[in-house]
Amino acid sequence: MRAHERARRAVALAVAGLLTTGLLAGCDAPGPSSSGSSGSSPSGPQGTASAQPVWERCQAPEGGSAPGSAWRCATVDVPLDYAKPDGATLSVALIRKQATDKSRRLGSMLFNFGGPGGSGVGILPRAAVAYGRLNTRYDLVGFDPRGVAASSGVRCRGDAEQEKAYREVDMTPDTPAEEAAFMDDGADFGAGCARLSGPVLAHVGTANAARDMDAIRRALGDRTLSYFGVSYGTELGGTYAHLFPEHVGRIVLDAVVDPTADAVGHARNQAIGFQRALDNYFTDRGEAPEAGTRRLEELLRRIDEEPLPTSSGRELNESLAVTGIVAPLYSKRNWPSLTAALAEIGAEGTGDRLLALADSYNGRDAKGRYDTQSHSQRAISCADTKARPTAEEARALLPEFRELSPVFGPFLAWDTAGWCAGWPVDGERDTPEASAPGSPPVLVVGTTGDPATPYEGARRMADELGEDVGVLLTNKGEGHGAYGESRCVTSLVDAYFLDGEVPADGRTCP
């Protein structure tokens, strides 16, 4: 399991879930003068002009199908290393659906759906129906951040190696041998990234992706950036606002990553968030949360000792079982799938449903092929953070994390050490910088029952952006993301994007 600080698999569970959890991005500047449809071409890095993209019919992405005829694809060339703007370049992949009411067009709306590692080129066409009202006046634009999918995507190991790791590596090691195997697997993953991904690995951090977003803005001809970021996309949006406050237009950050938390802090936040969601799940079913948690603890202990059989011949081990429990907690509408999976175990003693949930979260298809989002996610995360906790440090966290969440705490404590173990590239910082003095208002949306990016992070993001910049909108509800789930939030976000109406800071949606 890899929940960590970014919720990477809200997308993988189902496109329908993706649509309703507000995987949207977008916006424009606060006023007609910000529209990308007028004015001279903005200048690029070092004062050079950004070339306009050449839009062509889209090809089918790897493992997917081509989008409909309304969509066009292009690339924008950006420096591999922004410290060497005249050096090597890489191409960032884009996809666009033009505004349907061109006479009232406000500009482009850029999306990031989270991860890190989510492909905007692959996701946006499937999600676009959720943003139909915004599409009347905005071009919807998705992109694959550097190191992701069509933008020099990172690859670290093959399907067979991935399957072997999920089958054999215990992510809550109980013995010195299991601990050594766990740490060795992390180092092996990083070595594979270095071997298979080339020079891009050292340059896939969030700050560089934010710089690419400004290059995209210039290439699209927009004076300011219109953006909607979800989950990790909020960290990317906060970083952009910090680096380019003068180019901020209307920006919405939904399901917010806490910018004040380091690697251990993010894991701690998620232990709290997922346990909170699990408690709410049990309460919704009429079961005392303490009793339900004890029941799951005991189930996981038994599975650790003896994995459950499945009809495929694969076994459901403890690590996969926890992943299967995590997956449906991202959205309340998926809670019944967790109930069905636990009922199957109780009635049949088999783990087919829970394994299917884990496979969806891990990006595994029915033929045993894995996508590479987890590769990109790991590379971006480890490029960002300086933290390299040791096994000893992770072990020291176990009592606290077990207290926070008996079900998820041990996994998240060990994850702090295994994720970037032996990583071949140094990290950039301890925590992201989001202060954006002089920026127009940025709308920050937090959901009180969000498991993966707990609500508290939204308040901290609004504070970090700065006075008169961060505007907090609270959604009282469940799930990872509010746009499309809450009518109140959706209405306020639409009014902000389309009419420039900024909600009062501290507004709450029931």
Side-chain angles (χ1 to χ4, degrees), residues 415-493:
D415 194 48
T416 61
W419 192 237
C420 297
W423 198 254
V425 174
D426 290 337
E428 183 175 331
R429 35 72 171 174
D430 295 316
T431 60
E433 179 59 73
S435 62
S439 168
V442 172
L443 184 56
V444 179
V445 185
T447 297
T448 55
D450 191 321
T453 53
Y455 170 75
E456 293 81 357
R459 176 72 271 174
R460 292 171 188 142
M461 175 66 83
D463 289 342
E464 285 291 301
L465 286 165
E467 188 175 359
D468 299 326
V469 179
V471 176
L472 179 63
L473 173 61
T474 298
N475 174 45
K476 288 190 174 181
E478 300 295 328
H480 186 54
Y483 187 90
E485 286 285 347
S486 162
R487 291 183 182 179
C488 171
V489 169
T490 303
S491 176
L492 291 170
V493 168

Side-chain angles (χ1 to χ4, degrees), residues 267-268 270-276 279 290 293 297 395-413:
R268 184 180 290 110
Q270 285 207 319
I272 294 169
F274 278 108
Q275 185 63 47
R276 182 185 293 161
D279 290 349
E290 297 82 359
T293 294
E297 275 189 278
R395 206 182 304 117
L397 292 172
L398 286 171
E400 176 197 357
F401 276 56
R402 285 196 182 101
E403 181 70 22
L404 293 173
S405 175
V407 173
F408 307 115
F411 288 79
L412 290 163

Side-chain angles (χ1 to χ4, degrees), residues 115-244:
S119 167
V121 172
I123 296 167
L124 183 57
R126 293 178 285 153
V129 66
Y131 316 116
R133 189 176 178 208
L134 299 174
N135 190 207
T136 60
R137 302 187 67 190
Y138 288 95
D139 298 344
L140 306 184
V141 181
F143 72 109
D144 288 354
R146 56 172 59 210
V148 176
S151 299
S152 301
V154 170
R155 184 176 292 272
C156 302
R157 59 174 37 157
D159 292 335
E161 294 173 286
Q162 195 90 324
E163 182 74 24
K164 185 174 186 291
Y166 283 128
R167 183 177 67 247
E168 297 182 0
V169 177
D170 190 331
M171 297 185 73
T172 55
D174 304 307
T175 67
E178 288 180 348
E179 185 177 306
F182 173 75
M183 298 300 292
D184 287 347
D185 180 69
D188 179 76
F189 193 95
C193 293
R195 185 174 64 254
L196 299 175
S197 301
V200 70
L201 190 66
H203 303 285
V204 296
T206 297
N208 280 333
R211 295 180 181 105
D212 293 344
M213 286 166 55
D214 204 57
I216 294 169
R217 174 193 64 79
R218 293 190 302 271
L220 294 173
D222 290 334
R223 291 183 180 176
T224 58
L225 180 73
S226 301
Y227 177 76
F228 197 131
V230 180
S231 193
Y232 162 77
T234 66
E235 181 176 322
L236 182 56
T239 300
Y240 181 89
H242 171 67
L243 292 175
F244 304 102

Side-chain angles (χ1 to χ4, degrees), residues 294-377:
R294 285 195 299 270
R295 183 163 58 88
L296 283 188
E297 275 189 278
E298 176 59 23
L299 174 63
L300 292 172
R301 186 192 62 77
R302 296 200 310 269
I303 293 175
D304 190 30
E305 293 176 354
E306 186 175 353
L308 297 179
T310 70
S311 60
S312 67
R314 297 165 63 212
E315 290 185 327
L316 179 76
N317 60 26
E318 182 193 18
S319 299
L320 291 169
V322 172
T323 304
I325 294 168
V326 160
L329 293 179
Y330 278 93
S331 173
K332 187 174 182 178
R333 69 187 60 239
N334 291 325
W335 286 2
S337 64
L338 177 57
T339 301
L342 296 176
E344 178 202 351
I345 294 173
E348 309 292 337
T350 55
D352 289 78
R353 288 177 180 269
L354 209 55
L355 181 61
L357 289 168
D359 284 347
S360 179
Y361 190 99
N362 289 330
R364 185 188 191 275
D365 68 15
K367 295 182 179 179
R369 298 172 300 195
Y370 288 88
D371 68 24
T372 59
Q373 183 178 329
S374 63
H375 305 207
S376 301
Q377 184 198 26

Side-chain angles (χ1 to χ4, degrees), residues 261-282:
D262 60 11
V264 172
H266 284 305
R268 184 180 290 110
N269 287 348
Q270 285 207 319
I272 294 169
F274 278 108
Q275 185 63 47
R276 182 185 293 161
L278 185 64
D279 290 349
N280 292 343
Y281 161 78
F282 284 126

